[in-house]
Amino acid sequence: MEKLIQFIQNLWKKFLSLSPVNMAVAMGGVALVIGALVSIALWVQAPDYQLLYTNLSDQDAAAVVDQLDTQNIPHKLTNQGRNVSVPSDRVHEIRLSLASQGLPAGTEVGLELFEDTPMGMTEFTQKLNFQRALQGELARTIKSLESVDQARVHLAIPKEELFLKEKQVGKASVMVKLHPGRTLSQGQIQGIVHLVSSSVANIPPGNVVLVDPKGNLLSGSKAVSDDVMLTATNYQHKRKVESEMEQRIAMMLEEALGAGKVIARVNADMDFDKVVQTEELYDPDSQVVRSEQTTTESMVGTAAPSGVPGVESLVPGEEGTPEPSKGTAPTRSNEKQTLNFEINKVVKQTSQTTGKIKRLSVSVLVDGSMAGNPPQYQARTPEEMAKYLELVKNAVGFDDKRGDQVQLENIQFDKSLELQNLKEAEKQWQWDLGVNIVIWSIGTILVLWFLFRVILPLVRWVTTSVEPGPGQLGEAPTPEQLEAMEEEMRLARQAQENVEIRKSVGDFVDTDPKYAAAILRKWMRERT
């Protein structure tokens, strides 16, 4: 503490010893340093703002800003008041707080439209509000998707009639705005279409139209159908198979030849037809008796018919009816046998899988090697190319019966552009390194100069104890002070003379020590 007080006193004395011009310069420098320190402190302590919400509507922006003002939360508005920024350390806290209050509510109204239902609402108004609420809820659900930024839904719900045989179907239109850099896949588009169709009665998926802000038709009556979806899926599967084969070939050969020395392209002709075949096979040699039926018929003692033909002869009790004649009837028997045979039958149902490879066409380019001093290009030998060809065939599952083709060629790759880019990158790296070295060198020199030419002299100047002499405080010296000053100057001159005499004596002793010792003994004898 004492050293600090002494330092302040010395600094004040040094300041008072300056001329008026130097005092003004010193005060200006001090003010400049204090202002710089205050500016740095304010800049460090200033809050770092981060976006809270973007692209808000006017109503939502006004409600959010009003709530932030109520809670005394600092905020900034950008993008014509549509973006709201708050301190970064409180973004999540503020967002949760506003969400608990239903902000931002969005321009779409949902089922909360029925929370305050006035008395005397007509049926037409109720149906209209229900349609508005349904559109708002669908828009909110679609906006919850990761890629969707904004969404609007329009529903055309038909009026229900009691005496119509065929029900009328409704229609729906959806407009989606995506986040920058995001896209919707065909599966996501169909998902949005089926979401709307499943949420509203009597709206088939074919009556749902999906567009983007530029008016491009993404789905609808003229958009992606089931056949197109299937074709896109088949194409993706085909490209996946080809890409896997290309990577397999490149990775296998590059391990032996080096990176960038292999180019592989595969064209796979695939069969995506779904075939279900039912086949029935009969074996005539495997006949077996399925069923057997035997019928036996016999008749014994039957008399031959006789009498007058006609109705009267058949009526009992009538006259003229002759007596039956007696005779011996023959014995008769009849036997019938029926055999049913069954032939062995095999029913076979075969379903072929889709995505079957029908034919492969593979093209592979292999770069040569560099050898010698200086390095020169050398082509691959025929033995090496034959080995590589067999490796490629085994990697892709070559099948000669399918008509697969594999073409392997040794061609020198043109790497002039790559070498030029490497040279430019090296030059840029050297330039950046030189610039950084110059910047750091200049910064180091400036720091050292400031340290040795400003800081250290200032510290020495402040720490040197200076007593203000007469006249330094603007007062005329008194006679006593003048005598004291003369006495001090005389003593200073005498002390300087003594120092010079001692130095001369020392030089003399160093030059001739024997003579100096003799003189010293003489002085001592004279004193005694």
Side-chain angles (χ1 to χ4, degrees):
M1 188 64 181
E2 295 179 358
K3 293 183 179 181
L4 179 62
I5 295 175
Q6 184 179 3
F7 177 80
I8 295 175
Q9 291 177 353
N10 293 336
L11 182 61
W12 179 250
K13 291 177 182 179
K14 290 289 185 181
F15 179 74
L16 294 177
S17 64
L18 297 175
S19 62
V21 177
N22 293 334
M23 285 185 181
V25 173
M27 293 178 64
V30 171
L32 182 63
V33 171
I34 293 175
L37 294 176
V38 171
S39 300
I40 293 174
L42 293 177
W43 177 73
V44 171
Q45 295 180 357
D48 181 19
Y49 283 89
Q50 186 176 350
L51 283 174
L52 180 66
Y53 297 112
T54 59
N55 296 325
L56 292 175
S57 62
D58 295 338
Q59 297 83 354
D60 287 339
V64 170
V65 170
D66 183 58
Q67 192 63 33
L68 293 177
D69 292 336
T70 303
Q71 300 180 10
N72 295 325
I73 298 175
H75 57 275
K76 292 194 305 183
L77 298 177
T78 56
N79 191 17
Q80 300 178 354
R82 300 178 63 185
N83 297 350
V84 181
S85 301
V86 295
S88 58
D89 56 344
R90 301 186 61 187
V91 170
H92 302 291
E93 175 188 354
I94 297 172
R95 190 172 293 167
L96 291 175
S97 177
L98 295 177
S100 63
Q101 302 176 16
L103 294 176
T107 56
E108 302 88 2
V109 292
L111 295 176
E112 67 274 5
L113 188 64
F114 294 96
E115 291 181 355
D116 299 326
T117 303
M119 295 293 294
M121 180 181 294
T122 62
E123 182 181 359
F124 174 78
T125 306
Q126 289 181 351
K127 291 182 178 180
L128 183 61
N129 288 342
F130 175 74
Q131 182 173 344
R132 291 178 57 197
L134 192 57
Q135 293 176 167
E137 292 294 335
L138 286 174
R140 292 177 182 177
T141 304
I142 296 173
K143 286 173 60 177
S144 64
L145 298 178
E146 184 178 0
S147 301
V148 179
D149 183 20
Q150 297 180 11
R152 294 199 66 182
V153 179
H154 301 279
L155 300 177
I157 301 176
K159 184 178 180 181
E160 295 183 358
E161 300 290 345
L162 296 178
F163 302 103
L164 289 179
K165 293 182 180 180
E166 296 182 359
K167 289 187 177 181
Q168 297 181 359
V169 294
K171 298 180 180 180
S173 301
V174 182
M175 192 278 292
V176 292
K177 180 182 179 182
L178 306 180
H179 291 288
R182 300 292 183 87
T183 58
L184 289 176
S185 64
Q186 297 297 335
Q188 292 174 329
I189 292 175
Q190 294 299 316
I192 296 176
V193 170
H194 285 278
L195 171 67
V196 177
S197 174
S198 302
S199 302
V200 185
N202 298 328
I203 295 184
N207 289 2
V208 179
V209 178
L210 183 64
V211 297
D212 61 3
K214 296 182 179 180
N216 297 323
L217 190 64
L218 303 179
S219 177
S221 58
K222 297 182 180 180
V224 182
S225 61
D226 294 339
D227 294 337
V228 177
M229 282 287 297
L230 183 59
T231 303
T233 305
N234 294 342
Y235 177 76
Q236 293 177 0
H237 179 70
K238 178 177 180 293
R239 287 299 306 142
K240 182 179 180 182
V241 172
E242 294 173 348
S243 178
E244 289 180 354
M245 290 186 179
E246 292 171 357
Q247 293 178 3
R248 193 182 307 168
I249 296 171
M251 291 177 61
M252 179 184 61
L253 295 181
E254 285 182 351
E255 291 292 334
L257 304 179
K261 291 190 176 292
V262 178
I263 300 176
R265 294 294 180 266
V266 178
N267 182 23
D269 185 9
M270 308 188 71
D271 184 8
F272 292 100
D273 295 337
K274 186 177 181 181
V275 179
V276 179
Q277 182 179 2
T278 303
E279 185 178 5
E280 294 185 5
L281 301 177
Y282 295 91
D283 188 5
D285 298 333
S286 59
Q287 297 180 2
V288 293
V289 178
R290 179 180 182 183
S291 61
E292 181 179 358
Q293 182 178 4
T294 302
T295 304
T296 303
E297 181 181 357
S298 62
M299 184 169 47
V300 180
T302 304
S306 60
V308 180
V311 177
E312 295 180 356
S313 62
L314 298 178
V315 176
E318 291 292 333
E319 296 181 355
T321 302
E323 294 292 332
S325 60
K326 296 180 181 180
T328 303
T331 302
R332 185 180 59 181
S333 63
N334 185 15
E335 181 177 355
K336 184 189 297 183
Q337 184 179 10
T338 303
L339 296 177
N340 293 326
F341 292 91
E342 186 73 22
I343 299 177
N344 187 18
K345 181 178 69 172
V346 178
V347 179
K348 183 170 62 174
Q349 186 175 6
T350 304
S351 177
Q352 297 181 3
T353 59
T354 59
K356 183 180 179 181
I357 298 177
K358 296 171 59 178
R359 185 172 176 269
L360 286 178
S361 298
V362 183
S363 300
V364 182
L365 296 180
V366 177
D367 192 11
S369 60
M370 303 297 291
N373 190 12
Q376 295 181 355
Y377 176 80
Q378 292 184 358
R380 303 289 175 179
T381 62
E383 293 79 7
E384 291 177 340
M385 296 298 294
K387 292 180 181 179
Y388 300 152
L389 181 59
E390 293 298 326
L391 292 175
V392 172
K393 288 183 177 180
N394 294 331
V396 299
F398 179 81
D399 189 357
D400 195 9
K401 296 180 180 179
R402 293 184 310 200
D404 296 349
Q405 293 181 354
V406 177
Q407 186 72 21
L408 180 65
E409 295 292 340
N410 180 206
I411 299 177
Q412 183 178 4
F413 291 178
D414 184 11
K415 297 185 178 180
S416 57
L417 181 60
E418 182 180 354
L419 294 176
Q420 183 180 357
N421 294 334
L422 289 176
K423 291 180 180 179
E424 293 179 356
E426 185 177 0
K427 291 180 180 179
Q428 184 66 29
W429 178 80
Q430 293 176 354
W431 172 260
D432 295 340
L433 180 62
V435 172
N436 292 331
I437 291 175
V438 171
I439 292 175
W440 283 101
S441 300
I442 295 175
T444 304
I445 293 172
L446 291 177
V447 170
L448 294 176
W449 180 86
F450 186 75
L451 177 63
F452 288 103
R453 302 293 295 177
V454 178
I455 300 299
L456 292 180
L458 181 62
V459 172
R460 295 193 189 100
W461 180 70
V462 172
T463 55
T464 302
S465 178
V466 177
E467 294 293 337
Q472 292 181 348
L473 299 178
E475 299 178 357
T478 61
E480 291 80 4
Q481 292 177 348
L482 291 176
E483 292 178 359
M485 292 174 60
E486 292 178 357
E487 182 66 21
E488 290 179 358
M489 293 176 64
R490 186 183 64 79
L491 293 176
R493 288 194 299 269
Q494 185 177 358
Q496 184 66 24
E497 291 176 357
N498 293 336
V499 171
E500 293 178 356
I501 293 173
R502 290 191 187 95
K503 183 178 180 181
S504 300
V505 171
D507 295 338
F508 177 73
V509 172
D510 293 335
T511 304
D512 195 352
K514 292 182 179 181
Y515 185 70
I519 294 175
L520 183 60
R521 286 195 296 269
K522 182 179 178 182
W523 284 354
M524 292 179 65
R525 284 196 299 271
E526 290 177 357
R527 287 181 177 272
T528 57

